[in-house]
Amino acid sequence: MTNAAKVMLRTAVLALGMGLAAGAAAEGWKKLPADLALPSGDGSPGPVTFSHESHVNYTGSCVACHPKTFRILETGKTADGQAIRHELMEKGLQCGLCHGKTASGFDACEGCHKM
């Protein structure tokens, strides 16, 4: 296959992918994963339930978190295999990549923890 043919094929695949993504966005999300109850650590003020719906509505995309930060097909698993922990969030890792920066931060526990 010539270089020109390879470029044309890549362009066609990219255009198809963008078209499918635009179509999905125009229709709205059909089905997101169910809410995920995260395990509580020592000293937790209450359980945390992660909602894909609220996060996709905020970020507009699954790729804001997947697969770079969280595994897409393994529920509750980070990309590096570590447990989701508050101390890592406070250091700007895992959930802290957004929370505490572009999303609501650590000023109100009840934003995430149900007490």
Side-chain angles (χ1 to χ4, degrees):
M1 185 180 290
T2 67
N3 282 341
K6 289 178 183 178
V7 168
M8 287 176 46
L9 179 60
R10 287 182 189 143
T11 303
V13 169
L14 179 62
L16 176 62
M18 290 174 63
L20 291 172
E27 287 186 41
W29 295 99
K30 295 293 182 190
K31 183 175 180 182
L32 292 169
D35 287 354
L36 173 64
L38 299 174
S40 295
D42 292 339
S44 175
V48 173
T49 300
F50 174 83
S51 165
H52 280 89
E53 183 177 351
S54 66
H55 285 77
V56 170
N57 286 342
Y58 181 77
T59 65
S61 172
C62 299
V63 297
C65 300
H66 297 292
K68 187 176 178 183
T69 306
F70 297 98
R71 295 180 183 173
I72 198 161
L73 297 177
E74 293 181 69
T75 304
K77 297 282 185 173
T78 61
D80 61 7
Q82 291 189 43
I84 298 170
R85 296 192 337 251
H86 201 280
E87 67 187 47
L88 294 174
M89 181 180 71
E90 291 174 0
K91 293 178 181 177
L93 302 171
Q94 300 177 349
C95 303
L97 288 169
C98 292
H99 291 281
K101 295 178 183 175
T102 59
S104 61
F106 315 120
D107 52 344
C109 299
E110 60 274 359
C112 298
H113 294 269
K114 302 305 173 217
M115 298 184 227

